[in-house]
Amino acid sequence: MNWKKIVAALSVSALCVFPFQSVAAEENSKSLNKHVKRETALELKTVPKQISRFTYDSGLNFEYPDAVRGIYVTGHSAGGSRFDDLINLVDQTDLNAMVIDIKDDWGNVTYQHKDSKFNGIGKSYIKDPRAMLKKLEEKQIYPIARIVVFKDSVLANNQPELTFKDGNSIWKNGRGESFVNPFMKEVWDYNVNIAIEAAKLGFKEIQFDYVRFPEGFEKRDDELTYGHGEYTDKDVDNVQKRVHAVTDFVEYASEQLEPYGVEVSVDIFGYTATLPEAPGIGQNFTKISEHVDVISSMIYPSHWTSYFGIAKPDLEPYKLISEYAKLENKKLAELEDPPTSRPWLQDFTASWLGSGNYKVYGKAEIEAQIKALQDNGIEEYLLWNAGNSYTEGVDFTP
């Protein structure tokens, strides 16, 4: 446990939350809201000054588990009938945590907030988030709020000056999604405000996802029109500007959230740990790790090419996860105060890889991934299934 965990724990005592960036997840997203008012986003851009030695008390009490073993939950699942089934799954097994969408892959906030500044950006997927969290408190299920940051079609369409332009149009990727510009401080504050509200609700951890530029950005950098904000005059090339912007956002968000007594985690591409930095998307594994409590690499076997000398990684889940874990352990050991490693594991079948390149993932494949982490000293993990249909009968502590 690093110093932030210790401070958060003491503060609460004194006063008595390639994700997953796969095609499967993205196709599961709902249509975006095209009618958000411009004024709404502008009202969210200023984060209030915070008192350095104050820790917010949400009124809910959650203990950090022996080791987080969690599942991903969409806003629709959290607000619907499936939620009770997912609670039962966690309650009756060695699972103990849920990562719940609070700002989803399109940019929708998944609940309606009573504060008027959130009017227009909230959906009613989760009708009563406080009641939901109280259910989790009763079962002592550790709640993590997932906030998708820079992939945000809602904000991009609402405020085109905060996104990337392809000619006169807002740029979209092949799946019709838009990103907002990580160089823009307004975008940072917009997301940090949403994170602060989640902390006030009672979430004990904020997990930032899509903390990056669009994939392959280095190939379209010269084709798109966008601002560099405060990084305009920075005397480095565009690759380093992107790395600085992504890293600086993570540091800034962690600082702003400190008074709320929450852990801060970031999802990151698994391959980022294999490189000094990912030049297109701006992710530097080491630099991001220096500013978070938890680092969650997405290491689904299906998402690797022939890394680590494994020709067909999806067919060898134990070996792939083990080889990655060895590499990550070396990277984190170089840090003075490393974050907790809590990778995302695969609980889905990657049939899109084609015959002979994938296998059906069930109990044995999930347990193999968990065992590979454990054999390399990594006790925490999260399971991803875009539809929240998790494999039954798994031993989550094999």
Side-chain angles (χ1 to χ4, degrees):
M1 179 180 290
N2 61 31
W3 68 268
K4 284 189 177 180
K5 290 182 181 177
I6 296 171
V7 171
L10 288 175
S11 299
V12 171
S13 177
L15 286 166
C16 336
V17 69
F18 316 70
F20 178 73
Q21 303 178 7
S22 75
V23 173
E26 290 156 343
E27 289 180 346
N28 200 47
S29 300
K30 302 297 180 181
S31 60
L32 60 90
N33 177 3
K34 296 182 179 179
H35 304 290
V36 184
K37 294 182 180 179
R38 174 188 178 93
E39 291 84 352
T40 300
L42 290 173
E43 285 179 80
L44 285 172
K45 72 179 182 179
T46 303
V47 173
K49 292 182 179 179
Q50 297 168 354
I51 304 169
S52 60
R53 294 186 180 179
F54 166 75
T55 298
Y56 184 87
D57 182 3
S58 71
L60 298 178
N61 180 42
F62 293 93
E63 297 295 330
Y64 193 92
D66 62 310
V68 169
R69 298 178 292 274
I71 57 173
Y72 165 64
V73 180
T74 66
H76 289 282
S77 291
S81 59
R82 178 173 287 186
F83 191 58
D84 286 338
D85 293 335
L86 294 172
I87 285 181
N88 288 337
L89 170 66
V90 175
D91 190 41
Q92 295 171 10
T93 66
D94 285 326
L95 294 170
N96 54 32
M98 287 185 176
V99 179
I100 300 173
D101 274 345
I102 287 300
K103 179 170 176 268
D104 69 16
D105 291 58
W106 291 96
N108 298 306
V109 173
T110 58
Y111 69 99
Q112 294 277 8
H113 195 277
K114 62 183 179 180
D115 193 321
S116 61
K117 71 181 179 182
F118 284 89
N119 288 345
I121 65 171
K123 298 293 185 181
S124 298
Y125 304 154
I126 304 172
K127 293 180 175 56
D128 190 341
R130 183 71 175 187
M132 175 194 72
L133 284 163
K134 286 181 178 178
K135 281 188 178 181
L136 298 182
E137 182 188 34
E138 290 171 9
K139 298 292 187 178
Q140 276 301 292
I141 297 173
Y142 184 70
I144 303 170
R146 177 178 180 250
I147 294 176
V148 176
V149 182
F150 297 123
K151 189 174 78 163
D152 190 334
S153 296
V154 169
L155 183 57
N157 282 278
N158 183 42
Q159 293 189 258
E161 72 276 13
L162 298 180
T163 186
F164 305 101
K165 291 287 197 67
D166 185 4
N168 294 321
S169 302
I170 295 170
W171 175 82
K172 297 179 181 179
N173 63 18
R175 293 176 292 277
E177 304 157 329
S178 296
F179 278 64
V180 285
N181 187 350
F183 289 124
M184 297 291 113
K185 182 72 162 26
E186 290 169 274
V187 175
W188 295 12
D189 285 335
Y190 178 85
N191 283 279
V192 169
N193 266 289
I194 293 169
I196 287 173
E197 292 304 316
K200 287 180 177 180
L201 276 173
F203 281 94
K204 296 306 295 179
E205 182 169 319
I206 305 298
Q207 181 190 92
F208 292 113
D209 196 5
Y210 285 88
V211 185
R212 61 174 178 84
F213 286 75
E215 289 180 73
F217 193 83
E218 71 277 15
K219 299 175 183 178
R220 57 179 62 93
D221 189 6
D222 295 334
E223 302 171 3
L224 301 178
T225 302
Y226 61 97
H228 284 84
E230 296 176 3
Y231 296 85
T232 301
D233 298 323
K234 202 169 186 67
D235 190 22
V236 293
D237 63 22
N238 281 358
V239 170
Q240 288 304 310
K241 284 182 180 179
R242 291 194 288 272
V243 171
H244 280 295
V246 169
T247 305
D248 290 350
F249 165 75
V250 174
E251 181 178 15
Y252 176 77
S254 295
E255 290 172 350
Q256 296 298 318
L257 285 164
E258 188 173 340
Y260 296 90
V262 292
E263 301 287 285
V264 175
S265 58
V266 164
D267 296 327
I268 192 168
F269 277 146
Y271 79 85
T272 302
T274 73
L275 304 168
E277 54 204 12
I281 61 175
Q283 286 186 342
N284 181 303
F285 180 89
T286 298
K287 290 180 179 178
I288 290 174
S289 294
E290 290 174 341
H291 301 297
V292 295
D293 300 291
V294 178
I295 192 77
S296 289
S297 293
M298 298 171 288
I299 56 174
Y300 320 108
S302 61
H303 281 47
W304 295 84
T305 55
S306 55
Y307 271 75
F308 311 118
I310 306 172
K312 299 180 178 182
D314 195 60
L315 303 183
E316 300 189 60
Y318 179 91
K319 186 174 181 182
L320 185 282
I321 300 300
S322 183
E323 290 302 313
Y324 173 84
K326 292 173 186 175
L327 174 67
E328 185 186 88
N329 282 341
K330 289 180 182 178
K331 297 273 282 196
L332 292 178
E334 296 170 357
L335 299 178
E336 182 177 342
D337 185 20
T340 297
S341 172
R342 188 195 299 155
W344 281 97
L345 302 179
Q346 177 173 331
D347 189 355
F348 58 89
T349 295
S351 56
W352 62 84
L353 294 174
S355 179
N357 297 309
Y358 78 94
K359 65 192 305 185
V360 174
Y361 268 54
K363 172 179 165 64
E365 290 72 26
I366 295 164
E367 290 177 0
Q369 294 174 84
I370 297 170
K371 188 68 164 57
L373 290 180
Q374 291 179 339
D375 288 349
N376 286 279
I378 299 174
E379 299 297 327
E380 301 203 1
Y381 61 85
L382 302 169
L383 296 176
W384 180 274
N385 180 284
N388 303 163
S389 297
Y390 295 98
T391 301
E392 296 181 359
V394 174
D395 181 354
F396 294 108
T397 54

